[in-house]
Each structure stands twice: as structure tokens, then as C-alpha cells.
Amino acid sequence: MSESLLSSRNLAFELYEVLDAEALTQRERFAEHNRETFDAAIATARGIAEELFAPHNRKNDEHEPQYVDGAAVLIPEVEPALRAFHEAGFLNATRDFEHGGMQLPNLLSQACFAHFQSANIATSSYSMLTMGVANLIEAFGNDEQKARYLQPIIDGRFFGTMCLTEPHAGSSLSDIRTKAEPHADGSYRIKGNKIFISGGDQPISENIVHMVLAKLPDAPPGVKGISLFLVPKFHVSDDGSLGARNDVTLAGLFHKMGWRGTTSTALNFGDNGECVGYLVGKPHHGLSYMFQMMNEARIGVGMGAIMLGYAGYLYSLDYARNRPQGRHADGKDPSSPQISIVEHADVRRMLLTQKAYVEGAFDLGLYAARLFDDTQTLPTEDERRKALELLDLLTPIVKSWPSEFCLKANELAIQILGGHGYTREYPVEQYYRDNRLNPIHEGTHGIQSLDLLGRKVSMNNGAALKQLMALIQATCQRASQFDSLDRLRQPLEQLVQRLGGVTLALLGDLLAGKVNQGLANSALYLKAFGHAVIGWRWLEQAIRAEEGLATGNPADADFYKGKLQAARYFLTWEVPSCQHELNILEARDDTCLGMHDAWF
């Protein structure tokens, strides 16, 4: 039986041959784990995802949540799936043993969660958001907030959301209007409207904990005046019991093209002037706190995009192997048997492109997860700081590159199925629609590219960028030991060298005050930077594949040769194409910047 969620052989390759997950067990925090416990967690995740998440993925899409009597109504299959997820411990996979967690490395937690994202992105999103809220309260909440709200979240009784976007402001958070008025008892009265709040209402959990951005009466203008508030759907008494409904109203549901099983809500806070919220942390520091959850969500969105691309790739691969149609280009005998379409060169091109995109991005997503482990468990503060700098630099890539190129993989999956791919009788069109939301989830490509070029590459005098360049150089040096990899590493070296020069030039523009000019084509910079990073990760995989061919099980030879062919594709077909983007960036082309509104 072919695998439909992700390749277990590829996952093992990533965990144990590329990213050396077993080395993490040498660290004190993970000392009670080994490969057997890691594999057991993965097997449990795969089983729950296959048995309870995947079967209702199509039903989620066809029967999206409904707005009935002021509440959201979901299909019944969602609740038992999430209950099984929680009871198996995946909501708290990385938490301490003494707090009910599995104390797994984040790398393994992400590997487990990838199965749920592939099986049913809509249902899994409730848990992804809830995990983020738990981490946010744990990091910045006070003791009372932790006692009253964190433990029920950890127990799976309360779910969570993040409430940022407002109708008039969109992504421009500096313009939010939601207000928080101090109350005599130390709480606040929240008033405002938020839209596109995923999971903002549902009948599954006992309570919903909304993390809301709002402004105090004395708030300075802009993002420096944003505070963070915890706003429960139901009040919680001192003994932990639920009280009356808070003044949070579900104003309606949005009906998106994808992720249809996730409620996308418009919420009104304080229509009756009685919405109670609680300040989290210090006043006017809310956005910096929320960035923890936003960055977690960005990586989660990137992984979701990867897994939707992965699911489409595996389905179209299985289809291509089993669909007979046509004959080889040199076949002249119409009476000869038809061949499977996987035998056609152009179908192989589309499959190879998908493999290069999704497996390259999958490697990067898991690499980022391992970096997070390094930020928490490396022995020295300096090592942990460097890991955090590198993770910060790569986060825009982890979020945006898969959202663009794993979506392209979904397009190719549809094409491979021919006419069937465009019908709702086959799942690839749903994978595409679901994935089409990810280019806007947690910040558009444009926003991520501004973050990358405008902030991340220059932070701490370019420390993270220098660190990344050194890592790529080291990989290229190791690759030079294999004659077969020369033609793969050389295009990457050329791209990285030129990218470094273009980066310095653009940063020079920014330092000289030419901000609009320097950032005008940042989206092209994001693509070139992302291709350099994915090219690096493919070269790492290629090295491991060569080592596997030399020392591994002969039964794995086809797997390793497939890795080398996908690396060859990406590094010789995709990486050199970025020279075009660098030409435009180097020339400071102002075609887009110079366009006038009146000319459209």
C-alpha cells in the first residue's frame, strides 16, 4: 500500500541521517529518549492521523462550519479526532514530564505533527493555534493567568486563538483601533472588532482563550502602543469552574476557498461594554510578546504548506504509476500496450519538480525545528544565541518559500491527473485550494520579504547572515569530496557569492536612506535567498545520499539515487534561474516602483 501522508523512509532519512536526531538524546533534557521512543511517537501520530484525521478531510471541505443562532457548528468527526490527538499527548509533546508532557525535542514534535497537517490541515489547525497560546501564556503570563488558563489548555479543555487583524487595518497592526480601558479590579474592558480569526468559535472545547492586541488610553502611536490581553469566551472562577459568557460575540463566519473545516470568524469584543480582558506582561509591549506566537505560527504555516504539497505529490505519484495512457514518443505501433504515464518524460519532469520542492522544503522545516531545540538545549549561552539568530533569519524563508513553491507542486499534481485533477472527485484540487491560503497566512510574501531584507539580514551587524554563509560554504567544501557533486555545488556557490554582493549593495541603499528603492523588489530577493537556502539543504541531502550509497543497505539504493536526482534537478534547473532575479536587484530596476496609479 502506498503512503499518502508522507514517506516514512524519507522521514527516517531526515531524522537520522541528515539532522542526527539521535544526537539530541545526549543532551540532558532528552536523555530519557532514544530512537525507539522517537519512532513510537511517530507511529502513534501516523496511526491517529490515518484513522481519525484523514477520513473526514473531504467531509470537512464539503460541509464547512455553519453559523447557527450566533454559534459555529462543525461536523461531528472533528471532536473525536482532536480528543485522540490530545489524549495521545501531542498537544504537549515538548513539555516537561512533570507537567504532563512527553519532553520530546521540537524536531520530533514537528515530525509527528506533520502527519496531522498532511491528513487534515483544517482540523489540525485548532491544535496548532492552541499550542501557540499555551506557549505565549507560559512565557509572558502572570501566575494567576497560568493557574486559571494555562493548565486547562494543556489538558485540552480550553482552546486558543490569536486576534490581530481588524477590518480597516489588515496587516497594518500599527493602525488597530481595539481599545482596552482599565477597570477598578485590575482587569480591562475590551472594545473592538477582529476578523479572520481562525478557530474564533467552535463547539469542541469548554472555553476559548483569545489573545487580543489592543491599545490602552495612554498608548503611544504605532506599534509601540500595542498591548496584549487575554480574553476568555467564558469567565473562569477562582476554583476553575466556568462562569457566565464574556462579552465576546461571533459576528459571522468567512467562507474561504480552502481550510474550510477551520472556522474563520469575525469577533466583536464589548458590544455591551462588558468584555473583560487581562493584561499580559507589560503595557505597550504586546506586539513583541505576540511575535513569539506569530513566529511559531509562521513556521507552522510553512510546515502546513509543505505537507499539503507533500500529500499532492504522493497522490499524483501513485496515480501516475497506475494510470495507463499513451506510448513512448518513439512508439509507432498503436496495437502495443499502453504505458503508465510515469513513463512519459514530461510527467517525470512534473513529479521530479514536486519532489524537489516538497522534500527540499521538508528538510528546511525540520532543520528549523532542530534549530529551536538548539536555542533551548545547547550547553552555552553563546551557542544558544547563535542558534536563535539563525532561526530568526530563516523564519521568513520557512514560512514563505513553501507557501509559494509547494503550492506550485500542488498545481503540478493537478496537471498530472489530467482532467480528473480538476474535479472534486479527486483530492488534489482540495490540496491546492487549502494551500492557496498559505501565501497570506501569517504575513504575505511581501511582508516576509520586507522582514528578511529590511531587518533579518542586517540584524546584529549581519551576524546570522554570516553564520548562514559559513554553513553553506562548509557544506560546499564537504561536497567537493565527491566528484559526482561538483556540478551540483558549483551553481549554488555561484548564486551564494553573487547574492552576498547584492545583499551588501541593497543594505547600502537602506543605510543611505534610499529605503523605497532598496526594498522595492524585496520579493525577488526573497525568492533568490530562498532558493539559495533550499539549494544548500539539497546539497546536504545529496552528501548523505552519497554516503548512504557507499555504506548503506543495497535495498535503499533506489531511495538514495532518487535523492541525488532531485538534488540534481534543483541545483541545475532551479538555482541558476535566480540569476535573473539578481540581475533585476543589481540594476535597481524601478519598473514596479515607478508605476503610477493613473497608468493602470
Side-chain angles (χ1 to χ4, degrees):
M1 179 180 176
S2 62
E3 295 179 292
S4 60
L5 302 182
L6 61 88
S7 163
S8 56
R9 179 64 187 89
N10 185 46
L11 179 57
F13 173 72
E14 287 292 347
L15 292 178
Y16 304 121
E17 297 177 61
V18 180
L19 299 173
D20 196 10
E22 287 181 281
L24 292 170
T25 64
Q26 302 304 307
R27 301 179 186 178
E28 181 180 356
R29 177 166 181 78
F30 309 124
E32 294 189 40
H33 286 292
N34 53 41
R35 180 164 179 170
E36 287 71 28
T37 63
F38 289 167
D39 287 346
I42 290 168
T44 300
R46 184 184 299 114
I48 296 173
E50 288 176 344
E51 294 168 16
L52 292 172
F53 279 69
H56 72 273
N57 189 44
R58 172 59 76 181
K59 187 175 180 180
N60 242 355
D61 186 68
E62 293 176 340
H63 302 278
E64 57 191 316
Q66 298 297 308
Y67 180 75
V68 179
D69 297 329
V73 177
L74 279 63
I75 61 172
E77 290 85 350
V78 176
E79 184 174 354
L82 290 173
R83 188 185 311 116
F85 177 91
H86 297 154
E87 290 176 352
F90 290 112
L91 187 70
N92 304 298
T94 62
R95 278 197 158 71
D96 297 347
F97 291 128
E98 56 265 36
H99 294 148
M102 288 194 268
Q103 210 160 306
L104 279 175
N106 190 57
L107 171 61
L108 268 295
S109 178
Q110 286 285 7
C112 290
F113 196 61
H115 292 82
F116 300 102
Q117 292 174 301
S118 180
N120 193 320
I121 194 69
T123 294
S124 65
S125 67
Y126 293 103
S127 295
M128 184 184 80
L129 290 164
T130 299
M131 287 186 279
V133 168
N135 294 336
L136 194 62
I137 296 173
E138 191 167 39
F140 304 111
N142 59 36
D143 290 342
E144 182 180 354
Q145 291 164 356
K146 292 176 184 178
R148 194 167 297 207
Y149 299 100
L150 178 58
Q151 192 60 48
I153 292 174
I154 291 173
D155 294 340
R157 294 171 44 226
F158 294 4
F159 285 8
T161 76
M162 54 194 303
C163 300
L164 289 73
T165 306
E166 298 184 7
H168 65 282
S171 300
S172 181
L173 295 179
S174 63
D175 296 314
I176 65 170
R177 296 174 184 163
T178 299
K179 298 295 184 183
E181 294 284 345
H183 200 259
D185 63 0
S187 65
Y188 293 80
R189 295 299 177 266
I190 311 298
K191 187 169 182 60
N193 312 100
K194 302 287 185 177
I195 60 171
F196 302 138
I197 309 307
S198 297
D201 192 70
Q202 38 75 14
I204 305 165
S205 62
E206 297 175 25
N207 204 353
I208 303 175
V209 179
H210 303 291
M211 306 305 291
V212 182
L213 294 184
K215 291 187 174 182
L216 294 166
D218 62 345
V223 295
K224 293 182 179 180
I226 295 175
S227 298
L228 177 63
F229 296 87
L230 187 158
V231 181
K233 177 180 178 179
F234 291 98
H235 296 294
V236 179
S237 303
D238 292 342
D239 63 0
S241 62
L242 296 187
R245 175 77 180 259
N246 202 359
D247 188 9
V248 181
T249 306
L250 175 63
L253 299 176
F254 295 98
H255 301 284
K256 296 181 178 179
M257 65 184 291
W259 291 47
R260 292 182 176 183
T262 305
T263 55
S264 180
T265 65
L267 298 178
N268 293 344
F269 296 87
D271 279 355
N272 301 308
E274 293 298 330
C275 179
V276 179
Y278 305 94
L279 179 67
V280 177
K282 299 177 182 178
H284 318 316
H285 286 68
L287 189 57
S288 65
Y289 301 148
M290 186 62 93
F291 260 114
Q292 173 179 293
M293 186 173 177
M294 290 166 66
N295 284 330
E296 286 182 30
R298 285 169 176 173
I299 292 174
V301 166
M303 283 299 295
I306 292 163
M307 298 320 301
L308 287 166
Y310 213 141
Y313 163 59
L314 291 178
Y315 192 93
S316 65
L317 174 60
D318 184 65
Y319 182 92
R321 286 170 168 167
N322 291 284
R323 164 69 172 176
Q325 184 173 313
R327 293 157 186 86
H328 287 297
D330 59 359
K332 303 298 182 183
D333 182 3
S335 65
S336 63
Q338 290 187 325
I339 60 173
S340 298
I341 62 172
V342 74
E343 296 296 322
H344 294 297
D346 197 56
V347 172
R348 293 186 183 188
R349 172 189 65 82
M350 291 187 283
L351 287 168
L352 189 54
T353 303
Q354 289 184 74
K355 181 179 176 71
Y357 288 165
V358 302
E359 291 185 6
F362 186 62
D363 176 281
L364 176 62
L366 293 184
Y367 178 80
R370 199 187 192 288
L371 269 181
F372 182 83
D373 288 320
D374 289 344
T375 69
Q376 304 295 305
T377 61
L378 280 173
T380 70
E381 184 178 348
D382 185 59
E383 288 175 306
R384 295 191 294 272
R385 176 184 55 78
K386 288 180 178 178
L388 182 58
E389 287 177 344
L390 185 57
L391 181 59
D392 282 345
L393 175 66
L394 291 176
T395 295
I397 307 300
V398 176
K399 188 275 168 188
S400 261
W401 197 94
S403 298
E404 181 174 358
F405 289 95
C406 291
L407 178 65
K408 292 183 183 296
N410 288 126
E411 292 178 15
L412 294 171
I414 290 173
Q415 189 70 14
I416 287 169
L417 267 68
H420 295 300
Y422 295 84
T423 69
R424 297 194 69 184
E425 282 69 32
Y426 291 81
V428 288
E429 63 86 30
Q430 183 186 342
Y431 295 144
Y432 175 84
R433 286 187 291 103
D434 284 342
N435 218 354
R436 189 60 189 84
L437 272 64
N438 287 318
I440 199 167
H441 278 156
E442 299 308 321
T444 64
H445 290 323
I447 289 171
Q448 301 299 328
S449 68
L450 292 173
D451 181 42
L452 176 66
L453 180 56
R455 293 182 59 248
K456 296 298 177 62
V457 296
S458 62
M459 63 183 181
N460 298 329
N461 296 315
L465 181 62
K466 293 172 186 174
Q467 188 182 166
L468 176 63
M469 293 301 182
L471 288 169
I472 296 175
Q473 184 179 15
T475 299
C476 290
Q477 182 62 39
R478 286 171 37 236
S480 69
Q481 300 171 22
F482 300 89
D483 292 341
S484 60
L485 299 184
D486 273 349
R487 60 179 176 175
L488 275 62
R489 69 175 173 83
Q490 289 171 2
L492 178 62
E493 289 175 328
Q494 293 165 6
L495 174 61
V496 169
Q497 182 178 8
R498 194 173 177 205
L499 180 64
V502 170
T503 299
L504 289 175
L506 292 172
L507 292 179
D509 287 352
L510 301 182
L511 289 172
K514 301 176 183 177
V515 177
N516 288 339
Q517 173 185 296
L519 297 178
N521 298 319
S522 60
L524 299 185
Y525 183 84
L526 176 65
K527 180 200 170 183
F529 198 104
H531 266 56
V533 169
I534 298 294
W536 165 50
R537 298 313 305 164
W538 264 119
L539 192 57
E540 278 285 346
Q541 292 188 66
I543 292 170
R544 302 300 184 185
E546 286 286 5
E547 293 170 348
L549 281 173
T551 62
N553 186 337
D556 281 332
D558 284 341
F559 172 81
Y560 290 127
K561 289 177 181 178
K563 282 291 181 184
L564 288 168
Q565 201 74 355
R568 177 183 174 186
Y569 171 83
F570 194 83
L571 287 158
T572 60
W573 283 53
E574 293 279 338
V575 165
S577 71
C578 292
Q579 298 294 337
H580 170 67
E581 278 78 16
L582 295 182
N583 287 339
I584 294 175
L585 290 164
E586 206 167 49
R588 311 296 197 280
D589 183 85
D590 67 347
T591 300
C592 299
L593 183 63
M595 182 64 178
H596 291 196
D597 182 7
W599 298 350
F600 284 105

